[in-house]
Amino acid sequence: MLKDGERLDELNLKNLVIIQHKDKFKFGMDAVLLANFVTAKKGDKIVDLGCGSGIIPILIAAKTQDTFIYGVEIQEDMADMATRSVVINKMEERIKIIKGDVRGLEKILGYEKFDIVTSNPPYMPVKTGFDKKQKSENIARYEIYGGLEEFIKAASKLLKFGGKFFMIHRTERLVDILYFLRKYNLEPKKLRFVHPYVDSKPNLLLIESKKGSQPGLNILAPLYVYEKSGEYTKEIIEIYSKMQLEEE
C-alpha cells in the first residue's frame, strides 16, 4: 500500500492513520483546527476543497455520524495518497477523493447539492514568489491552480441555500476574504483569530459563512496555541482530542 518515500502516521484518533510523503506537503495544525471548527449534523453532504493528503475529510468523517465527504485535490499523487488513506481506514463508504480542479467543480459534483464546504486553501498569491521546495509544496502554498476568489466562488456554487462554508486562512487576507464572501452570497457569520501566544498578534483566522444569510458577524474569543513555556494551551490539547464535532 505504501510507495517509495511514504510513511504511515498515526492520528491518535480511533486508530486512524494517514499516508504522507517525506518530500511532499504534509498537513499541519491549520488543517486540524479547521476540521474541528466545523459544525455538522447527521447526514450532511460535505466537500473539502484542496484536500491534500485527505486529513480534513478523514477527521470530519471520524467525528460525525453518517456524513458523506468529497475530498477534491488537483495533484494526482496527493489525491492517490488520500485515496489509499481512505481505504486503509475503511472509510470508502464515507469519503470519496476526486482528482480535480476547484474551478468548474459544480459541473462534476452538481450545483447547490451540499450542506457544508470546507477549505484550507493555498495562502499566498503567485506574485509573492516561490521558495525552493518540491513542486507539491509550491502548489499547496501558492495560488497556482485558483486563488482565494476561485475557492470561495466554488464553495458558493456547491452549497445549498443556507449551507455553510468553513475556511482557515492568513489574517492579512481578511479584507479580501470578507469581500469575496459577500460577492458570492456567503455571509460571514463567525470569525475566530488564532494567536501563536497570548501576547502575540494573530496569524491565522477561522471563518464560517452561510449562503444567503442575513448580515451579522459573531467575533469569537481568540484561540491561543502556545503557553509561554512553549507547550500547547489547554484548548489546543482539547481540540486535538475532540472526539465529536458540534452540531448546529
Side-chain angles (χ1 to χ4, degrees):
M1 183 64 82
L2 293 181
K3 299 181 179 179
D4 288 346
E6 294 179 348
R7 69 185 192 221
L8 205 58
D9 293 334
E10 294 183 3
L11 295 177
N12 299 316
L13 173 70
K14 300 179 180 179
N15 297 316
L16 296 174
V17 294
I18 193 164
I19 299 171
Q20 299 200 94
H21 193 287
K22 65 182 181 67
D23 295 326
K24 295 176 182 176
F25 187 81
K26 302 168 196 61
F27 79 86
M29 179 180 289
D30 45 2
V32 178
L33 295 181
L34 176 60
N36 286 282
F37 185 63
V38 171
T39 55
K41 30 181 216 303
K42 185 176 180 179
D44 275 349
K45 290 183 65 180
I46 303 169
V47 183
D48 181 46
L49 304 177
C51 72
S53 61
I55 181 62
I56 291 174
I58 289 171
L59 290 178
I60 292 176
K63 299 183 181 193
T64 56
Q65 291 187 350
D66 297 329
T67 54
F68 186 86
I69 307 152
Y70 285 98
V72 181
E73 172 55 46
I74 197 164
Q75 297 186 73
E76 187 169 358
D77 53 350
M78 297 297 287
D80 174 62
M81 280 197 295
T83 298
R84 286 182 284 125
S85 290
V86 169
V87 173
I88 288 174
N89 289 309
K90 297 181 172 58
M91 288 181 162
E92 300 97 317
E93 294 184 1
R94 300 280 309 283
I95 302 172
K96 181 175 178 58
I97 305 297
I98 297 173
K99 191 272 177 184
D101 195 320
V102 299
R103 298 165 293 187
L105 187 59
E106 74 282 355
K107 297 174 185 175
I108 300 171
L109 295 182
Y111 185 70
E112 295 189 337
K113 298 291 186 183
F114 294 88
D115 304 289
I116 292 172
V117 174
T118 62
S119 187
N120 177 15
Y123 289 154
M124 294 174 278
V126 173
K127 65 183 179 181
T128 55
F130 302 114
D131 54 20
K132 297 181 180 180
K133 295 188 174 71
Q134 295 287 329
K135 180 181 177 182
S136 66
E137 293 266 357
N138 286 328
I139 292 173
R141 295 177 187 278
Y142 297 93
E143 297 175 334
I144 298 171
Y145 294 109
L148 178 61
E149 180 172 10
E150 283 75 27
F151 275 78
I152 290 174
K153 183 178 181 180
S156 180
K157 289 184 175 182
L158 293 169
L159 284 169
K160 301 174 182 176
F161 185 85
K164 296 180 291 187
F165 178 42
F166 297 88
M167 183 172 64
I168 189 166
H169 217 292
R170 292 273 185 92
T171 50
E172 60 260 34
R173 302 298 300 276
L174 176 58
V175 174
D176 294 332
I177 290 166
L178 296 176
Y179 172 78
F180 289 129
L181 288 174
R182 275 254 173 108
K183 179 177 179 179
Y184 293 103
N185 196 28
L186 294 170
E187 186 63 29
K189 302 303 294 181
K190 293 180 182 177
L191 175 62
R192 190 172 200 191
F193 292 105
V194 182
H195 302 244
Y197 296 90
V198 172
D199 56 356
S200 63
K201 66 181 182 180
N203 61 344
L204 292 172
L205 62 86
L206 292 155
I207 189 163
E208 173 192 330
S209 56
K210 190 171 184 180
K211 187 170 182 179
S213 178
Q214 293 296 313
L217 176 62
N218 182 16
I219 307 293
L220 304 177
L223 174 59
Y224 301 110
V225 177
Y226 298 105
E227 302 283 3
K228 288 186 177 181
S229 63
E231 297 178 348
Y232 284 148
T233 60
K234 180 181 178 181
E235 186 170 10
I236 289 293
I237 293 171
E238 288 174 348
I239 287 171
Y240 268 84
S241 60
K242 185 188 290 187
M243 300 300 289
Q244 186 173 339
L245 297 185
E246 295 176 12
E247 293 190 13
E248 187 175 275

